[in-house]
Amino acid sequence: MDDLMLNQFLLLGAILFCIGVYGVIARKNTVMVLMSIELILNAVNINLLTFGAANGDVAGAVFALFVIAVAAAEVGVGLAMVLIIYRNRASVDLDDVDSMRG
Amino acid sequence: MLEQAWIIPIIPAASFFGILLFGKRLPRKGSELGVAAVGVAFVLALVTQVQWFQHVDDAENESEPTEEHAAAVVDIDSESAAPVQEEEQPAEEDGGEHASIEPVTREWTWFQFGETEAKVGTLIDGPAVMMLIVVTLVSLLVHVYSTDYVGGDRRYTHFFAFLSLFTASMLGLVMSKTTLQLMVCWELVGVCSFVLIGHWWEEKANSDAALKAFITNRVGDVGMITGVIVLFFAAGQTFDILDINTQALNGDISHLALLVASCALIAAVMSKSGQFILHTWLPDAMAGPTPVSALIHAATMVVAGIYMVSRLYGVFWEGLSIGISSVNLLALVGGVTVLGGAGLAFVQNDIKRVLAYSTVSQLGYMVMALGVGAWTAALFHLFTHAFFKACLFLGSGSVSHAVHSFDMREMGGLRRWMPHTFKTFIIATAALIGIFPFAGFWSKDEILAGASQLGGPGNYRVFMVVGILGAVMTAAYMTRCVYLTFFGEFRGHGQPHESGPRIVVPLWILAVLGVVAGLANLPSALAPDSVELRFEHYYEPVGAYFPSIMPEFAHPEFSIGIALVSTLIGLTGIAIGVAWYTGRIGLRGITERNRLADVGYTTLVNKYYFDHLYTGVIADGTKGPVARGANWVNQNVIDGVVNGAGRLATVTGRWVYAHVDQQVVDGAVNGSASAAQGGGQVFRQLTSGKVQQYGALLFGAAALFAGVFIVFV
Amino acid sequence: MSNSEFLNDWGLILMVFLPLAGALVMLLIPKDEEQTHRWVALLASLAAAGVGVALLADFDYDNTAQLQFVVNEPWIDVIRSRFVVGLDGLSVPLVALTLLITPLCIIYSWNHFPEPRNPKAFLILLLVLHTGMLGTFVAQDLILFFVFFEVVLLPMYFLIGVWGGDNRQYAAIKFFLFTLFGSALMIVSFLALFFVAGGETFVIPELAQRISTPGDFGIEAVPLATQVLIFGGMFMGFGIKVPMFPFHTWLPDAHTEAPTVGSVILAAILLKLGTYGFVRVALPILPEAAVEWAPYIGALAVIGIIYGALACLAQTDMKRLIAFSSVSHMGFTMLGIATLTDFGLNAAVMGMVAHGLITGMLFFLAGSVKERYHTLEIRRLGGILVKAPRIGWIFGFTALASLGLPGLAGFWGEFPAILSAYEPGAGLSEVTFRVYMVIAAVGTVFAAGYLLWLYQRTSFGVTKEEFEDDEIADVEVPEWIAWTPMLVLILVIGVYPNLVFRVTDDQLAGVAQMLTAAVGG
Amino acid sequence: MVAQNIFFYVIAAGMVGAAVAVVTTRNVVHAALYLIAVFAGVAAQFIILAAEFVAVTQVLIYIGAIMVLMLFGIMLTRARIGRDVDMTNDHWWIGVGTAVLLAAVMGYALIDRWGDDALPAERQVNAVGGSNTATVSDSIFSQYLIPFEIVSVLLLAALVGAIVIARKDR
Amino acid sequence: MSAVLASLAQADGGFVRPVIDWHALAPELVLTAVLCAVLVADLFLPEDRKALLPSLAGLGLLAALIPVLTLAVDGADRTMFGGAYAVDNFALVVKALFLVAGYVTVLMSTNYIAEGDYAEGEYYFLLLSSILGMTIMGSARDLVTIFVALELLSVPAYLLAGWRKRDPKGNEAGVKYYLMGVFASGVLLYGMSLLYGVAGSTQLTDIGSALAGGESVPAITLAIVFCVAGFAFKVSAVPFHTWAPDTYEGAPTPITAFLSVSSKAAGFVALLQLVIIGFAERPDVVRPLMWLLAALSMTIGNVIALRQSNVVRMLAYSGISQAGFMLAPLAVMGQIGDDMLTSIVTYLLIYAGMNLGAFTVVMAVARKTGSAEVSSFGGLFEYAPSLAILMSVFLFSLAGIPPLAGWLAKFVAFRAVIDADTGWAYGLAVVMAVNSVISLGYYANIAREMWMNPVPDGDRTPVRVPVSLNAALAITVVFTLVFGVTQWATELGDMAQFVASIGP
């Protein structure tokens, strides 16, 4: 193994992605869920840059930059939602947020 | 007028609408309209009659020179190996007899399918003319009679309206050119009978009777429809009666088709003409007003079946191979009916029901006659029977008018109060029993003769025996009927009285006809040429469309033996009554001399003679074996079957509706609906409200789809 | 001449859409001016009828097989659907029937609207229905046909659901779902047909040509299996509408619950859409498939005849009984169609007209009885003839007509149907159909049975004591006006059936020949 | 090269461990800190992939901005600082299942497609006299101009909206 | 100074200034201008003049429609950035759809927002930015652009969904929509990254050619499935539908309408671009996938809808099943040519009209009854006949009863599917047929309430409908009626073709 394989990055990304998925499903605290989402997005970024490097162009990098920017925006929105929920029900447990169903 | 015959049914039809629309406003509540219409129809019928005679005579006169036809006929005749015929039918007469008398026809297109045209029109020939007279005459008399009889009835007007409609449809039936038209009128008369039987529909019994009549007839109509359809296609898509007959006789139609058709049509005859086993509606139909019974259920409508057979005789002739067989369905049905009907007449207490069953058995005679090939005899009997049976019915009506009941147990001794009714009734009875020289004698005699002489090997002798038996029974039950009604003591209440002229006059007219009608067909043996066999001469449709061109077709010859036998038979039947009657007088003589004996004997008489003669001789002698059995069968089996069928249908209907329709069929539908709802309930679990489970579903589904497609694509 | 020019170009369109126009006008009139609404509705329907009469007068009866007054305009190009309407021998009787019935219904409901009254909505729906029905009978393009075919659903749904009886909502939705199910499959088969025929046109005659002679249009012949499947879809669509056993269960409910006028139109015209569809669409376009299906259709038809009759015998409700009698009667019509013969088809069309008049009339009567006695329980009725003799007599007359009495219209629907079953069209088993014939003939006995039994129980006898002393009005003026034409027609057609046969025959003979040709006969 | 590999695996191991810790630890703040570790690792990997600019952005935005936001969120929602008994809900096993399934599918797909592709040794996109950074900027302002402009609107919208939502109105 | 800049620019010749077709960008530019204007105006307008904001927003949308029309008249297909951004007929049609639908949404919102105490300016600002995202989505032919546009139309939507922030249901709606949205974009991004990896380019056309040929390798399948899943979430197709009912119920009704129409349409637009341009050569994956999604959405959406007692939730599920109908033609991709695109776009146009209309009536009724329960519609026909009639029109149009527009939509869908003439296609057609019947069940249920049931509380005071709602109703009902009997909808759908449509 003298030079870098594409797959080691991709698999790393995949693993992060899956861990993130586990996080968003299993975590109770909404903020934790947001963190897990970030894991997912980072996994994607790794993919993008890996492919970028492999293809030898910068589209991947650019894409990653956009993802990062968007992620920032989303986190902002998400935290706003967390706050408002917290304000209305004094809890950030997603389990409690199920007044509508069926 | 032969051309314009269509006018005749139109007139009463018009009067039907007339009466319906403004009958109520007329002074006599519309009856005058009906009477007038039928009167005119009668006159026109007479005119037609006369013109037809001329037509026939002309046909003969010009048929003399036309050799080839005559020749043809002659050589047919010569090889027709009926020895009977050879000797007693002079050749010149043959020529006359067999000169093809073309019927006068007229037709219009009714509607067409593609190239097939359904026609409607008039077919005027012997039988038609004869029926025209019978129908219009009896109808006229009944109309007159009814003005008195149903006077003051709440539906007086409607009564006459439907009498008119009936007359119209019956006339239409007799002059039908096509089987389709025949069928239409056939149904129409059925409806009229339905309406008139149910005339007093307030009592359920009456409406029941009406329904029974109509539905039983519908059963027969299945046969009618089938027969007509089979003939229609078998004869190359035509309804035309003449065509069908001709083709049937020329062998253009397969024997099978003819057989099927005639069997089907026999079913129709059974229902319409009250033959066993579809006869049960006829006695019930007596629920209707008596004039109706006289007109529809004795004189005219019920003979529609016989008339239809006589119309399509070619079909039956070939289909049942009447000419060469010695037993066939038609004759069989007739024979059974003769005996069955007669037997049942014994056990009735309702005078009209007696007459009804007697009608049944008389119709049986006619059917039997047709079955054995005695065409003329059948129609002749139809002719005479119409008069005297109508007379009997009207008589019974007159009686009931007097005693307000039809139950013979509430009558008796009426001869003192109702001389006219009595006399006419006696005459008619004599005619029915067939006493020389009354009408019935001649016609019945011809039938017996036919049964004995016609047909293939061995002839139809069986049916002659049947006929003779029937004659005995007829005599017997009529005697009983007459005795219970007119002799003995009056057992009813109130003061009986003779009916008014509008009732009596028709009675007399019919009675007279009941005497003289028989003279219409004097056998050649007994009469000069000028008057012999006039009926046969003028009314038998000779020509290509009639079996007369077939070698086997022949006329029975008057045989003195049968005549005597039948007369004796009749007399025996009466003898019983007479003997017993005179015996009663003798006894009364004694009682006048001896009080004690008087007491003893009167009781003895009133019990003994009555019981002995009535119960012992008549009942045990005849009713016992035949009638009681027949009656039991009739009430429990046949009637049971007929009514049971109805009840069965209803029950089945209920079951099907409750279990199949509402549960299976409908259930399936509603079931699927609720299934969908249930599915909805299940799938609602997907949206549990927990967003993280949504997420799990999202990621999981994505992964799952990806996996599935990776594997399977 | 310009007059007939105008008729040619605009006659049909006017006739079809005048009622709709009337409805739009009524939308603008405030709700409480009921009198105005009545008149507008009546005039609209009469105007349509007037145009219709003009058309029928101008109609060339010597070649009824020919489409006349054809209007052929592009409509929805993208899906290759054109606006094609035209009259021919098959349409004329049904159009005439429709034009007759609707005004009569409006008159009948003149001053007794069912609860909740609201004449405005009621009449508007009636007019929309009118347009839908007329359109269906003149449309010559499958899509147009389908649209009109479906347009009638909504108004009828509301008529039943809003103005109906106690169980109206169930009945209404059942009617709606059943019919929609049928039409959903039907449209699928229409499309399949469209594509197998080269995806060029929806116009019925053209499609027929394309299927019959694919060579001329450069498309490959349609395999029989495909045709049979497509026919199956149409069968569902039309069969449910007819309705054929076992798809009939919506009918009794709908009829029983619907307001009088609703039942009348349902029985008189809506049911005909199904049978008409068979004759107009299914048979000409897919003759071979028709031959394949005919025995089964015939079987279902005779089952329907007997089954409906049996169900009738079980009914305790007058209206429901009449409804089931429809199942039985339409069985005759379908039998006629199933024979694929000239006779049979003629019988079918005659059967449609006759059944329309007669059963429509029966429902009118049922409505009037319900209005007077406030019940249709057969047990509670009785002696109508005593209380209201005229109604009683008319009822009797209609019942007789309904049981197929010769000399009245009903007979000409039944007898030729039975007749035709004796010699079915080319490629059909005679034995099978002769069996059908006998069964159908037996069915006539049942018909007499249940109808007369109904009549006996309701009209004969004496009035039940519960109605002993309340006043039962006899026929009223609007009823006279509404009924007389129907009664007269029942009689006239009965006496002179050629009124209908003459119009339909050429057309149907053509169809029959097509069917014969299809099986290479 | 080998150095890079060692470098990679060390960091990767750290990242995975930290990530697992993020989704398992019972302490919110610890989770946040572990997340920072992951982000840092990601930035390091970017360096290996010769995407310096992205790496820098990663550090600036994620660690500098997003994580701070996160911590603010944690504070504002007064989540208990320190161990919290139930940070994972009862349905965690669903998570496990889903994650495993995903991992299987992804792993198979990736290995199947890029089983033994190596990254090019020279990962600089050789634009004329420029570095990746230059190329990135070029393409952002030419090829990806429109997304770039949109993102600005997006950020504005997110900002405004977040404020409106989160704001306590009087 | 400028010289320095110039020299800098010279320094590397790598940068070539992109050519920008301003006309092609005009609609978006107008929108951007308007949304900024709204934001600013909101700052300076006094409380009592806020009513101007909706008018401003509405006018802005109509203004943005003008360049769309001019472009349509001009007719030339325009592409920029090497095909990353295309203004072709498809783009124009969908842009017009988004703008008009947006306008109706504004009309719906006017009174609703003004009367509740919501932040008004920001509301319209976010609404407009979301619409901006959609219009850009119409032209995006490049993964990055698609992604960013998607986020631009989603993020404001998340916020708007949670706009009723004092109402716990409002928050719940927001957070659920937000989280699911983010999950979906995660999946989508991963898929996109794989696509980029496979194709080496973010341009759809390149991807299309890169995916062409041979068997699909797992990575490509994975990428396709993930991308489709990402947008299946947007169009709320089963099993990615779970957010829809809750969000619809909790969000402000105008936003619900907006989500159920515009954002669903945007999802379809993206999906169409991806599938028709990008995945054109991979029917072996797309067809079964779409078949599955369509069948599931139709059936499950319908049967659940049967059980709903809340009109809005019912409409949500009905929207899910309608999405199934719209997906159906994709299940025969590549077998029927352009008819597929035509049918879907037609369906979108018609669906927008009737669904917006239905929601408008729901709002109008809620103004009186204050509830969206089915029972609250009882006896509507008695006291508000016109509303009842309109609602019936929309509902039965949704059910696909001729001659209302909905039948044409369903018809073109049927037509496209059956055109394929394969066993699977006919199977799908039958599923569609059965479902169109089931759907009638719940649509007619509401009609039943309105026409056949008594007023629940006996309160027969007529409903006062503000002018803006009337306008919305007028627009939608005209569309619903006219599209049904004319060929305009289908013509538009037929017109909407890609400039770079490389599908067979």
Side-chain angles (χ1 to χ4, degrees), chain B residues 500-511:
Chain B
R502 277 178 292 162
I503 291 187
V504 174
V505 175
L507 283 179
W508 272 113
I509 298 175
L510 287 169

Side-chain angles (χ1 to χ4, degrees), chain A residues 1-2 4 6-8 17-18 25-29 38 42 49 51 53 62 66 79 83 86-87 95, chain D residues 1 5 8 22-23 25 39 46 58 62 69 76-77 86-89 106 114 117 119-120 123 151 166:
Chain A
M1 53 172 258
D2 49 359
L4 290 170
L6 200 53
N7 252 340
Q8 54 199 64
F17 191 94
C18 298
I25 295 173
R27 297 304 252 176
K28 219 175 201 175
N29 184 320
E38 298 310 323
N42 277 276
L49 281 158
F51 287 127
V62 177
F66 282 113
L79 282 170
L83 289 183
Y86 178 75
R87 196 171 297 142
D95 279 0
Chain D
M1 285 305 147
N5 260 325
F8 169 84
V22 169
V23 295
T25 175
F39 290 157
F46 289 172
Q58 170 88 2
Y62 268 109
L69 266 178
L76 286 172
T77 57
D86 51 354
M87 285 304 289
T88 56
N89 58 30
M106 289 175 165
W114 290 283
D117 300 9
L119 281 174
R123 303 192 200 94
V151 166

Side-chain angles (χ1 to χ4, degrees), chain E residues 150-224:
Chain E
L150 177 67
E151 290 302 326
L152 176 55
L153 73 90
S154 307
V155 170
Y158 303 149
L159 292 157
L160 289 171
W163 207 243
R164 294 161 52 212
K165 58 186 198 179
R166 272 172 215 71
D167 173 2
K169 283 196 169 192
N171 315 139
E172 186 173 343
V175 76
K176 279 180 175 173
Y177 186 29
Y178 166 78
L179 285 176
M180 293 303 289
V182 179
F183 299 164
S185 16
V187 175
L188 174 66
L189 277 172
Y190 197 89
M192 282 181 165
S193 71
L194 289 183
L195 282 181
Y196 167 64
V198 173
S201 156
T202 57
Q203 297 247 344
L204 292 182
T205 45
D206 305 346
I207 294 173
S209 36
L211 265 50
E215 272 298 297
S216 174
V217 302
I220 294 179
T221 311
L222 183 66
I224 292 176

Side-chain angles (χ1 to χ4, degrees), chain B residues 128-176:
Chain B
V129 175
M130 186 271 286
M131 286 300 283
L132 280 182
I133 289 296
V134 173
V135 174
T136 47
L137 175 55
V138 179
S139 175
L140 176 60
L141 296 177
V142 166
H143 269 80
V144 176
Y145 181 95
S146 309
T147 52
D148 181 344
Y149 187 82
V150 292
D153 185 89
R154 19 178 150 53
R155 284 183 293 278
Y156 187 77
T157 312
H158 287 128
F159 181 81
F160 277 94
F162 280 95
L163 276 187
S164 297
L165 179 59
F166 169 77
T167 318
S169 0
M170 193 64 204
L171 292 170
L173 187 149
V174 299
M175 58 178 64
S176 300

Side-chain angles (χ1 to χ4, degrees), chain A residues 17 24 37 44 47-48 51-52 55 57 59-60 66 70 74 77-78 81 85 88 94 97-102, chain E residues 144 151 155 158-159 165 169 171-172 174-176 178-179 182-183 189-190 193 196-197 200 246 308 313 317:
Chain A
F17 191 94
V24 295
I37 292 172
V44 173
N47 266 23
L48 287 169
F51 287 127
N55 302 331
D57 75 343
F66 282 113
V70 170
E74 282 183 340
V77 172
M81 300 239 173
I85 283 189
N88 281 338
L94 272 180
V97 187
D98 59 355
S99 67
M100 296 180 287
R101 60 163 66 93
Chain E
V144 179
E151 290 302 326
V155 170
Y158 303 149
L159 292 157
K165 58 186 198 179
K169 283 196 169 192
N171 315 139
E172 186 173 343
V175 76
K176 279 180 175 173
Y178 166 78
L179 285 176
V182 179
F183 299 164
L189 277 172
Y190 197 89
S193 71
Y196 167 64
D246 300 356
Q308 298 306 320
R313 277 186 90 80
Y317 283 109

